[in-house]
Amino acid sequence: MKRFRRTSALMLAGLFALTGCGVAVEDTPEIPDAVAEVTEEPENTISPAGPTEDFYRYINEETLRNMEFGYGDMSVGSFNEDLAGDQVKDIIRTVAAGSGYAPGSEEAIIKTAYDLYLDYDFDNAPVPAELDALLYEIDGISSMEEFFRVDAKLDRDYGVTNILYLQVGSDYRNGGANALAFGQYSGVLDVAFEDLEESYTPLNSLKRAGSVMRKALGHEKAEADALGKDLGLLAMDLYTATDMVVVMHDMFYEFQETVTKQEADEILSNVDLDTYLTDLGYDLKDCGKLTFVDRGQLAGLNALLTEEHLEALKTWKLCQFGTSYRRFIAGRYPGLDEYLQIDYRDPEEQAADEVMTGFYEETDPLYVEQYYNAAMDERLIAMCDEIREGYRGLIKNADWLSSKTREGLLTKLENIVYVTGMDLQRHDNAAYKDLTGSDYFAYQLHYKRLKNAMARASLAEAPDRKVPTMPMQMVNACYNPAFNHINITVAIMIPPFFSMEADEYTNLGGLGMVIAHEMGHAFDSNCIKFDANGIYDPSWIPEEDRAVLEERNRKAVKYFEDFFTVFGVYHVDGEQTLGENYADLGGMECVSSLARTKEQRERLFENYARIWCEKRVDEALLDQLNTDEHSPSVIRTNAILSTLDAFYETYDVKEGDGMYIAPENRISRWK
C-alpha cells in the first residue's frame, strides 16, 4: 500500500532553481517583444519575421509557437530543464539498489539516507524527543543571556540561522579571504521588507504565524495573538533600521565594511560577543575581523536584543525552528499541520528528491563522473582560452582607455581561473565514516551538524579559487569577482548550449557566449571595480578613465531604456540591468570577433538567439522588469545584436529595418 507523505511547502522548492550571479539560465524566459514589437497572438495573425526585422522571433518563432506552459508554470524554456535532476535521481536509485560501499563514501551516505527516508513514517512517528524538548526550551527562555545561549545552539547543532545572521563569508576588500560576516536581513520569516515599502498588510502573516506557533505550545489565544503582534512590531522596527538601498542592490559588496572584533563589540553593546561566538563553535583567534553591509541595521538589531523584546525574539526563534523542522513536528502539534501539503508522488520518487536536494554534495561527484569526461573538459578549456584571446584583442585596442588601465585589465584577464567539473573532488571518507542515525531524522541531523562544523572551521582557511562554488548538477555558470574565477557547471553542457557533435561556432553562440558573458563580468560596470587580485578597490582605475567609463555607462543606460520595450509599453531599467547588459555586450563583441566568415557568424548569432528561446507569463515578465538585473530574453538578444557592426554586415541590415539602430545611438563596451 502506498503511503503519501506530508512535506513542508518550503522543501518542495528543490535544488534546481537555476539561479546564479551571471547567466541565471532559467531566470529570464518571457514572451518575445522588443525591437520589432512582438506579443503572443493567435497563430497566423503575425507575418513571419525576417532576420533584419526581429532576429529573436526569426530564429525562435516556431519553437515559441509550440511551447506550452505546464500547470502552475510561470515560465517555459526550449531545453529540458529537468534533465539534470532526472539524471541525478537515476544515480540515486542505482546507488540505493547497490551495497558494499566504503564507510563514509558518497555512495554509502546516499544509500543510507535514501533507505532511512523510505522507512520514516512522517505521518505517525512521534516527535523526536530533542525537538520536543527544544520547542519548550525556547518557549521557556527567561533572560537574554539564556536566549543567546539557546540561539547559538540552534545554529550550531540544528542549522537554524542565528539572530545576528553571522556566517562565514568573503571579505571583498581582501581578495575574497574568509571572514565572519553579519548578513543583512531583507525580511523576517516570509515577510520581505520590500513588500513593507508598499503595505503593512504582510505583517498580518507574521502575527498569525507567531500566534499559531505559541498556541501550539499551549498559550491561550489572546496571549498568543498578542505575542504574534509583538513579532510584527519587532519586524517593523528592524525594517525601519534597514538601508533598503543595500537590500535592493545586487552588488552588496560595494557597501561592505570590515571592522575589528573590538569595533564589533561597540556596535553590539547588548551582546557578549566573545561568549556568543564561542557558543556558536568559532575559535576566537579566528574572529579578529568581521564584516557587514548595513551598519544601521546591525545597530538597530542590537537595540532589539533586550529584555523588553525577549518574548518577540522567542516567537521569532520558534517560528524559524518550526519552519526548519515542521515535517517532523507538525502532525502532532495543533494548528501546524495547515502549513504542510500532501505529496502524492510515489515514496521512491520522494526519497530520490529528498536525497538530491538535501545531500547534493554527495550526489554531485557521482553526477560529474557519469556525465563529464576529459574530452569534454579539453574542449571546454580550449573554448575558454579562445574567448580569453578574443578579449585580449578587444582590450588592447580600447585606445579610449589609458595604457595603465588597459595593462591592469589585461593582467586581470590573465588571472581569470576556470572552474569545471574536473575540479570537483570526492570528499575524504574519513571525515564521514562515523556518520550514523537510528532513523532519518537522526541521520540527516548528524549530517547537518558535520557540514555546519566544516563551515565554521573554514573560517581559518584560505579560500581555494579552484574549488567549485555551486553544484555541478545546476544549469548555470557564474563569475566571482573576488576569486576572479568562472565556474562552469556540467549540467549546462547540453544543447542548445553545447554539444560535442556541434561545430565550433554553434557552440560559441551557446555555451561560448555564456562563458564570454561571465568573463565580461570581470569588466562590467560593477566588477571592473575589482583589481587584478580580486580586491574591491574602485580607485585602482585612474580618475580620468573612471570618468570615461561613467559617460559610457550613461549612454548604455539610455540605449536600453530608449529603444527597447516589452509589449510596446514597458521599458527596462537601464541602471538596474547595466552590469548584465554589459556582460552580454562585451561577450558578444568577443565571440563575434572569433568568427571569420559570414557562415560562421550566422551559426553563432542563430544559436545565441536560440539559447534565450523562452516564455514568461505576463505577470512574471513584468515582475522581471521590476526586480531582475537581467533584461528580458528578447531584449538581451535583439538589443545586443542591433548595436553590433558584425550583425549589420552579416544580414545587410538597413535603415528602416526593425533591427536597425542609427549609428550615433549604438553602443559598444570596447570600441
Side-chain angles (χ1 to χ4, degrees), residues 406-430:
R406 277 179 283 156
E407 288 171 8
L409 293 176
L410 286 169
T411 301
K412 185 174 185 178
L413 176 68
E414 300 308 319
N415 285 352
I416 291 177
V417 170
Y418 321 133
V419 180
T420 73
M422 287 298 179
D423 296 303
L424 182 64
Q425 304 297 317
R426 279 182 173 250
H427 67 225
D428 180 3
N429 291 357

Side-chain angles (χ1 to χ4, degrees), residues 3 5 7 88-89 92-93 96 109-120 122 327 343 345-359 363 440:
R3 287 182 296 164
R5 297 173 181 269
T7 56
V88 172
K89 289 178 185 178
I92 292 168
R93 295 184 188 100
I109 294 171
I110 290 168
K111 178 175 175 57
T112 303
Y114 182 92
D115 290 345
L116 288 175
Y117 182 87
L118 282 177
D119 288 341
Y120 199 90
F122 285 90
R327 57 186 175 156
D343 190 341
R345 296 176 300 165
D346 288 338
E348 290 79 9
E349 178 69 15
Q350 296 178 45
D353 191 64
E354 175 78 12
V355 174
M356 181 179 70
T357 56
F359 296 83
T363 62
Y440 183 70

Side-chain angles (χ1 to χ4, degrees), residues 151-159 279-281 449 452 456:
D151 180 66
K153 180 171 68 171
L154 291 174
D155 182 291
R156 183 191 66 232
D157 295 340
Y158 297 91
D279 286 346
L280 282 169
R449 287 174 177 169
N452 287 347
R456 291 191 295 272

Side-chain angles (χ1 to χ4, degrees), residues 52 61 105 136 190 230 285 296 335 503 532 561 575 587 620:
T52 64
E61 189 160 22
S105 66
Y136 286 102
D190 64 343
D230 287 343
K285 74 176 189 304
D503 68 273
E561 290 186 343
E575 290 284 355

Side-chain angles (χ1 to χ4, degrees), residues 60-81:
N60 296 316
E61 189 160 22
E62 182 177 355
T63 305
L64 289 165
R65 185 180 298 117
N66 294 326
M67 280 182 178
E68 294 183 0
F69 289 96
Y71 178 76
D73 286 347
M74 302 295 283
S75 65
V76 57
S78 61
F79 65 95
N80 185 351
E81 299 166 0

Side-chain angles (χ1 to χ4, degrees), residues 111 113 125 169 290 308 344 376 384 404 412 494 580 656 671:
K111 178 175 175 57
L290 300 95
E308 177 187 356
Y344 291 99
M376 294 171 69
C384 290
K404 178 181 178 181
K412 185 174 185 178
I494 58 171
E580 295 296 331
K671 296 177 182 178

Side-chain angles (χ1 to χ4, degrees), residues 282-435:
Y282 293 106
D283 190 329
L284 288 179
K285 74 176 189 304
D286 301 324
C287 303
K289 290 185 177 180
L290 300 95
T291 71
F292 55 80
V293 295
D294 190 346
R295 180 184 287 263
Q297 186 188 81
L298 197 58
L301 178 61
N302 178 67
L304 297 173
L305 298 175
T306 64
E307 300 285 344
E308 177 187 356
H309 301 96
L310 179 57
E311 290 301 322
L313 293 167
K314 287 162 54 178
T315 303
W316 189 358
K317 283 287 113 179
L318 283 166
C319 290
Q320 277 186 299
F321 186 73
T323 297
S324 297
Y325 291 95
R326 184 174 290 148
R327 57 186 175 156
F328 295 105
I329 66 176
R332 275 72 72 200
Y333 281 89
L336 297 188
D337 56 350
E338 66 181 87
Y339 288 96
L340 298 178
Q341 61 188 43
I342 298 176
D343 190 341
Y344 291 99
R345 296 176 300 165
D346 288 338
E348 290 79 9
E349 178 69 15
Q350 296 178 45
D353 191 64
E354 175 78 12
V355 174
M356 181 179 70
T357 56
F359 296 83
Y360 72 88
E361 291 184 58
E362 314 312 318
T363 62
D364 221 29
L366 278 63
Y367 172 75
V368 172
E369 290 167 8
Q370 184 158 335
Y371 293 101
Y372 197 62
N373 56 51
M376 294 171 69
D377 193 67
E378 182 179 354
R379 190 161 177 186
L380 175 59
I381 296 300
M383 182 187 293
C384 290
D385 285 340
E386 187 178 11
I387 292 167
R388 195 199 307 257
E389 180 61 28
Y391 272 111
R392 285 193 191 103
L394 292 174
I395 295 171
K396 287 178 180 178
N397 292 326
D399 54 10
W400 49 276
L401 288 170
S402 69
S403 60
K404 178 181 178 181
T405 297
R406 277 179 283 156
E407 288 171 8
L409 293 176
L410 286 169
T411 301
K412 185 174 185 178
L413 176 68
E414 300 308 319
N415 285 352
I416 291 177
V417 170
Y418 321 133
V419 180
T420 73
M422 287 298 179
D423 296 303
L424 182 64
Q425 304 297 317
R426 279 182 173 250
H427 67 225
D428 180 3
N429 291 357
Y432 297 85
K433 65 181 178 60
D434 296 325
L435 179 60

Side-chain angles (χ1 to χ4, degrees), residues 46-64:
I46 301 178
S47 59
T52 64
E53 293 303 316
D54 180 343
F55 193 75
Y56 180 87
R57 186 161 69 92
Y58 168 69
I59 296 299
N60 296 316
E61 189 160 22
E62 182 177 355
T63 305
L64 289 165

